[in-house]
Amino acid sequence: MANASFMEKLVQGQSYNPDNFFLIAGPCVVEGKDLLDEVATKVSEVCKRLEIPYIFKSSYRKANRTSASSFTGIGDQEALQLLKGISEKYNLPTVSDIHTAQEAAMAASYVDMLQIPAFLCRQTDLLIAAAETGKVVNVKKGQFLSGASMKFAVEKIKGAGNDQVLLTERGTTFGYQDLVVDYRNIPEMQASGAPVVMDCTHSLQQPNQTTGVTGGNPQMIETIAKAAIAAGADGLFIETHPNPAVAKSDGANMLQLDLLEPLLEKLVRIRKAVM
């Protein structure tokens, strides 16, 4: 595992192949206990069999929504408590987004990794507050930034005394309603010294739809993931749901849960081929 010291600590207790990529995966938002259990059970079993280090992801609140009527969450404390329960039950590290500096300490008492949304990756006070919790910090590259410019986000976090930082590529704005992935961003961001993750689902969003609901192109998830592994990504980020059509957030670009296992099998073979 690239730049492995803090990542090895994060997934301690799991049995995995250190030459594998790591996986950050789960439903977009905490909808309830049953959904979290279903996803955690399935994905943890698959990752154990394939020897992939696994971090469970779900947002306790969705602050960035197109429409004011969109679902944002079941309540911060309730959702965070459910995430803590997943960590304890399945022996998995967990990650969730934060949106303001004031949220950092609260979320850090429940999860193992704090994620900075792409739109907020330049917010200095937010990055510093996340760093000061001592948790691993995953910063998503803004859709409006180059990979090379993300070194400044890394510098802010490390300058606050925290060397545990990941960077995530999630596409670049292309016109008003599409994103493209520039795979040059993977080695460019790795040059900052941080492991780099490919967000295989949000990079396929089709934002700013006139319906008020973000669209997506999930049939291309496998293409994005394969190319990322071939390009040397350290980890993958995949949002997954048993039935994306009824998901309360980002259903248009999430991977259907039963499609994850065959995809990961292919990706492990690609990883071995390019090592």
Side-chain angles (χ1 to χ4, degrees), residues 21-223:
F21 56 89
F22 58 88
L23 178 68
I24 301 173
C28 179
V29 65
V30 176
E31 299 178 19
K33 182 178 184 300
D34 290 346
L35 172 64
L36 299 191
D37 274 322
E38 181 176 358
V39 175
T41 297
K42 175 65 174 179
V43 182
S44 61
E45 288 175 351
V46 172
C47 286
K48 183 177 181 180
R49 180 176 70 81
L50 297 177
E51 300 183 305
I52 299 170
Y54 176 39
I55 300 125
F56 183 89
K57 183 272 168 185
S58 195
S59 297
Y60 67 87
R61 174 159 44 90
K62 297 300 293 184
N64 177 26
R65 305 310 311 272
T66 302
S67 171
S69 63
S70 295
F71 177 81
T72 58
I74 61 174
D76 292 356
Q77 294 296 331
E78 182 179 353
L80 284 165
Q81 191 63 55
L82 288 177
L83 286 172
K84 185 175 182 180
I86 290 293
S87 178
E88 293 171 346
K89 181 176 180 179
Y90 297 92
N91 190 29
L92 294 173
T94 57
V95 56
S96 193
D97 304 273
I98 59 171
H99 315 91
T100 68
Q102 292 71 33
E103 292 178 38
M106 174 189 71
S109 64
Y110 293 91
V111 299
D112 305 283
M113 181 192 295
L114 300 177
Q115 184 165 279
I116 309 300
F119 284 124
L120 301 176
C121 68
R122 285 169 50 92
Q123 298 299 109
T124 301
D125 60 340
L126 178 59
L127 293 172
I128 291 175
E132 288 177 343
T133 67
K135 298 290 185 174
V136 178
V137 182
N138 180 28
V139 187
K140 288 197 168 184
K141 181 187 74 64
Q143 302 93 320
F144 44 85
L145 291 176
S146 69
S149 65
M150 287 300 291
K151 67 181 181 181
F152 300 110
V154 174
E155 289 173 359
K156 290 174 184 178
I157 294 168
K158 290 187 175 181
N162 189 339
D163 292 333
Q164 303 175 111
V165 55
L166 306 173
L167 294 176
T168 293
E169 164 64 25
R170 54 96 71 232
T172 301
T173 299
F174 185 74
Y176 291 110
Q177 295 174 324
D178 204 3
L179 300 168
V180 295
V181 175
D182 181 351
Y183 287 94
R184 294 175 299 178
N185 285 331
I186 292 175
E188 286 182 353
M189 291 195 291
Q190 286 171 330
S192 70
V196 171
V197 181
M198 181 72 233
D199 185 337
C200 303
T201 46
H202 289 99
S203 60
L204 290 166
Q205 284 182 330
Q206 294 173 329
N208 305 317
Q209 299 294 314
T210 56
T211 60
V213 178
T214 297
N217 194 13
Q219 62 269 29
M220 298 298 291
I221 290 172
E222 181 170 323
T223 299

